[in-house]
């Protein structure tokens, strides 16, 4: 009867008291400390798992998955998965009294983030929105660059057309100028001769 009262008192203390939380990734191994034996006045008895199963000297449980240290009471769990998440209570009995000390450790197992993201609808919607936004931004930048390139190309075409017109004008005007210069020279040289011949004839 005293043992039962001690266990109930210890469970109430564990429920109302603080606890330690350990976070691990799925598939890894973890060791949970037995805080009930930390004061040196209590001896490890067993672990109460979240599904109310017992792991201890009288109930070894799954030995491939759970191992514990007899003196410290630390519990090692191999290849944890999400189902292993929960509260683990270490039960220890006083050396000099039948009072039980029970401290709990919360185990939080995280899934692989790639698997979580692959199965999460909200994350997939966010991925789609981000991909669509990136495509829109890239398309807008490409349109602006093409428009700028076309504008610069048209400007260069206009300049080249103007240069061609100038060259053509210079090419057509230069023979006319040369012809007029020739005519002036002819007039300057032939005019005196013509006048002299007219004078002599008179």
């Amino acid at each position: 009867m005293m043992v039962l009262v001690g266990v109930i008192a210890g469970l109430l203390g564990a429920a109302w008291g603080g606890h330690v939380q350990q976070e691990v990734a799925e598939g890894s191994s973890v060791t949970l400390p037995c805080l009930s034996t930390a004061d040196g006045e209590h001896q490890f008895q067993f672990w109460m798992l979240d599904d109310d199963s017992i792991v201890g000297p009288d109930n070894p449980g799954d030995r491939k998955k759970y191992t514990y240290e007899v003196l410290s009471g630390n519990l090692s769990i191999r290849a944890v998965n999400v189902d292993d998440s929960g509260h683990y209570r270490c039960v220890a009995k006083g050396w000099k009294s039948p009072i039980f000390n029970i401290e709990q450790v919360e185990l939080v197992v995280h899934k692989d983030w790639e698997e979580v993201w692959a199965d999460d609808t909200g994350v997939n919607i966010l991925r789609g929105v981000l991909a669509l936004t990136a495509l829109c931004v890239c398309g807008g930048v490409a349109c602006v660059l093409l428009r700028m390139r076309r504008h610069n190309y048209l400007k260069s075409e206009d300049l080249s057309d103007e240069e061609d017109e100038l060259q053509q004008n210079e090419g057509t005007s230069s023979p006319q100028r040369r012809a007029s210069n020739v005519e002036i020279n002819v007039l300057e040289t032939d005019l005196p001769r013509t006048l002299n011949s007219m004078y002599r004839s008179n």
Side-chain angles (χ1 to χ4, degrees), residues 3-192:
V3 172
L4 181 60
V5 170
V7 171
I8 292 173
L11 287 172
L12 289 174
W16 290 102
H19 65 277
V20 175
Q21 183 183 76
Q22 284 194 228
E23 299 184 14
V24 293
E26 188 175 32
S28 60
S29 298
V30 63
T31 299
L32 304 180
C34 179
L35 304 176
S36 305
T37 60
D39 58 5
E41 297 180 3
H42 293 81
Q43 180 183 11
F44 169 71
Q45 298 295 305
F46 55 85
W47 279 89
M48 294 179 64
L49 307 186
D50 211 28
D51 59 357
D52 293 330
S53 59
I54 302 296
V55 175
D58 296 331
N59 297 287
D62 186 354
R63 295 185 179 179
K64 292 182 179 179
K65 189 171 185 67
Y66 302 104
T67 56
Y68 59 88
E69 297 176 5
V70 177
L71 296 178
S72 66
N74 294 339
L75 178 68
S76 296
I77 309 173
R78 297 184 185 89
V80 295
N81 54 50
V82 177
D83 295 333
D84 293 324
S85 296
H87 294 86
Y88 292 73
R89 298 170 181 86
C90 183
V91 179
K93 181 182 177 183
W95 289 98
K96 299 178 182 178
S97 66
I99 297 175
F100 285 81
N101 185 22
I102 302 174
E103 298 287 344
Q104 69 180 2
V105 179
E106 183 181 5
L107 178 63
V108 179
V109 180
H110 295 289
K111 278 186 125 182
D112 185 5
W113 285 113
E114 291 183 1
E115 292 181 6
V116 171
W117 289 349
D119 298 334
D120 194 332
T121 305
V123 172
N124 289 330
I125 290 173
L126 180 61
R127 280 178 171 175
V129 170
L130 289 175
L132 186 60
T133 304
L135 285 174
C136 290
V137 170
C138 291
V141 170
C143 287
V144 169
L145 291 175
L146 286 173
R147 189 171 291 179
M148 290 175 62
R149 187 172 179 183
R150 175 182 275 179
H151 186 67
N152 290 336
Y153 178 72
L154 290 176
K155 276 189 173 179
S156 63
E157 275 192 346
D158 292 341
L159 288 174
S160 62
D161 290 343
E162 289 178 2
E163 288 176 356
D164 290 342
E165 288 178 4
L166 286 174
Q167 288 177 359
Q168 288 175 1
N169 291 336
E170 288 178 358
T172 55
S173 62
S174 59
Q176 292 175 355
R177 287 179 184 174
R178 288 174 187 170
S180 62
N181 290 336
V182 169
E183 289 176 0
I184 291 169
N185 291 334
V186 167
L187 287 174
E188 286 178 353
T189 55
D190 290 344
L191 184 61

